[in-house]
């Protein structure tokens, strides 16, 4: 009997996991810990996410296959629901992914994950606990090819509190829970779906499209981005969760050196998808020095006439800061373990562009990540990107 506790079922990757896993005819029970007031409301929340991957009828049918446990993972250690006791595996995806959420993000991601780990100790048949981190815990000063074991590092300089909270979580899990069968999975940057394109989510896809529309890059066209699709991440996570033996307890889920994408190739893909615009000419700019230039250009292309566009400008600056790092995350461990390589961004970006809405509309999928925190002043040193946008 395989009984998998899933957190984050209503999120992008959680939806991708369930969409694939529930379509299989196997003997696996998925137990989803969902924030909701009743089991039925929780089921409808999961169904709403699944609808992004299928039609409403299929989404309802799949959602009927799961067990819903209403709850908040940050209080899992006081949740004695017996349906949790018999879980054999945990896939912990839930997180506060806000970039500027301050203390709340740390409490949720770090303290909350430790609460879940304490609850896991009361699951006698637990075989594996996959904690999903992020490859971006490497911070801003990492070498351009990032190896798994070099991080978390206390000296890492984090651009946002979100990655800092994820790094601290890994450190605390290793220090405080050596008795649990924890495997860390760190996806790189998740964009789109390799066959469904932008339908399940336009998270981060809008950034690539905005860069194309702005014709501005904060880095050389020869620098790279390490991007993977949500369905590949989902498939690989389930593989890491259920493969009987793993050589390591820490993996990047990334494109790696062989699969990363040069910005020049992203631009070529846009040229092919939209030939009416001809050959694109991009301006390379300095993100710190030329922020007025970016603002002016953004205003010309998108306008700055409402709050969501101003939030989008701040978010664009923030993502550009990550793009400028030119990072690739080594994936040799995953490949040696026998997992399929991720499809290249260039191979599936056309699918994403084919069913994309307007860029500003697509930003809405990420808007919560960029909500300002009322308690923190905009000029705080923790918020350099917000302050300069
Ligand atoms: N997407 C990426 O590019 C990317 C890259 C690297 C790593 N990751 C990691 O992958 C994981 C999943 O990412 P995602 O993009 O799927 O995130 P997402 O779409 O933002 O979803 C976050 C999920 O966490 C749940 N959640 C948050 N706080 C919760 C709480 N206190 N109790 C219960 N559930 C809670 C949310 O539930 P509600 O619906 O109730 O809010 C939602 O289901 C995260 O750990 C993230 O750090 C993502």
């Amino acid at each position: 009997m395989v009984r998998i506790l899933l957190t984050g079922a209503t999120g992008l990757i959680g939806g991708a996991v369930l969409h694939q896993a529930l379509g299989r005819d196997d003997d696996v029970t998925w137990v989803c810990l969902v924030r909701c007031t009743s089991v039925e409301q929780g089921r409808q929340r999961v169904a709403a996410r699944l609808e992004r991957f299928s039609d409403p009828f299929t989404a309802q049918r799949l959602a009927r296959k799961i067990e819903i446990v209403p709850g908040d993972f940050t209080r899992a250690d006081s949740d004695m629901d017996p349906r949790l006791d018999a879980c054999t595996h945990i896939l912990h995806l839930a997180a506060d992914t806000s970039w500027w959420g301050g203390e709340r993000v740390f409490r949720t991601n770090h303290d909350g994950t430790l609460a879940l780990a304490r609850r896991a100790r009361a699951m006698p048949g637990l075989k594996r606990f996959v904690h999903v981190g992020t490859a971006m815990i490497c911070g801003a000063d990492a070498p351009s090819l990032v190896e798994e074991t070099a991080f978390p590092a206390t000296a890492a300089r984090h651009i946002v509190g979100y990655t800092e909270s994820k790094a601290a979580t890994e450190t605390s899990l290793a220090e405080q829970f050596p008795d649990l069968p924890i495997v860390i999975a760190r996806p790189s940057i998740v964009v789109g779906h390799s066959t469904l394109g932008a339908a399940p989510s336009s998270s981060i896809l809008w950034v690539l499209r905005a860069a194309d529309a702005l014709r501005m890059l904060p880095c050389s066209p020869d620098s790279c981005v390490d991007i993977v699709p949500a369905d590949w991440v989902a498939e690989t996570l389930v593989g890491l969760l259920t493969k009987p033996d793993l050589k390591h307890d820490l993996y990047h889920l990334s494109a790696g050196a062989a699969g990363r994408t040069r910005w020049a190739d992203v631009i070529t893909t846009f040229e092919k998808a939209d030939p009416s615009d001809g050959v694109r000419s991009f301006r390379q700019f300095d993100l710190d020095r030329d922020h007025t230039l970016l603002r002016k250009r953004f205003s010309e292309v998108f306008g700055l006439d409402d709050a969501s566009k101003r939030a989008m400008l701040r978010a664009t600056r923030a993502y550009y800061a990550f793009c400028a790092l030119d990072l690739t995350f080594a994936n040799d461990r995953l490949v040696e373990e026998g997992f399929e390589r991720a499809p290249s961004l260039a191979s599936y970006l056309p699918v994403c562009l084919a069913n994309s809405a307007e860029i500003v509309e697509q930003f809405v999928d990420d808007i919560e990540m960029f909500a300002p925190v009322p308690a923190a002043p905009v000029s705080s040193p923790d918020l350099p990107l917000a302050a300069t946008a």
Side-chain angles (χ1 to χ4, degrees), residues 7-14 33-35 45 49 71-74 92-97 108-109 131-135 162 166 186-191 203-204 368-369:
T7 70
T10 54
L12 163 61
I13 301 176
L33 187 69
V34 180
R35 290 193 281 197
R45 292 200 63 217
R49 174 55 76 172
D72 180 328
F73 81 89
T74 65
H92 177 40
L93 281 161
D96 187 334
T97 53
T108 302
N109 296 346
H131 167 70
V132 181
T134 170
Y162 156 69
K166 290 291 221 176
R186 293 187 201 139
S188 53
I189 303 170
V190 183
V191 174
S203 175
I204 313 180
E368 279 185 21
M369 287 170 62

Side-chain angles (χ1 to χ4, degrees), residues 278-329:
V279 174
R280 266 87 158 145
S281 168
F282 272 68
R283 174 190 285 216
Q284 194 177 326
F285 76 109
D286 185 299
L287 194 54
D288 292 324
R289 206 187 49 222
D290 301 332
H291 70 92
T292 324
L293 189 71
L294 175 61
R295 186 187 177 85
K296 182 168 174 289
R297 178 73 181 140
F298 189 98
S299 177
E300 285 164 9
V301 174
F302 299 110
L304 278 171
D305 48 315
D306 65 37
S308 68
K309 288 181 187 167
R310 291 190 287 277
M312 183 174 152
L313 171 59
R314 285 197 296 278
T316 303
R317 284 189 54 78
Y319 272 117
Y320 265 158
F322 278 104
C323 295
L325 298 177
D326 189 12
L327 294 176
T328 301
F329 301 99

Side-chain angles (χ1 to χ4, degrees), residues 136-160:
M136 283 295 177
I137 62 161
C138 63
D141 300 323
S144 66
L145 184 63
V146 180
E147 302 286 346
E148 280 100 333
T149 50
F151 299 95
T154 42
R157 184 170 58 84
H158 291 276
I159 295 180
V160 293

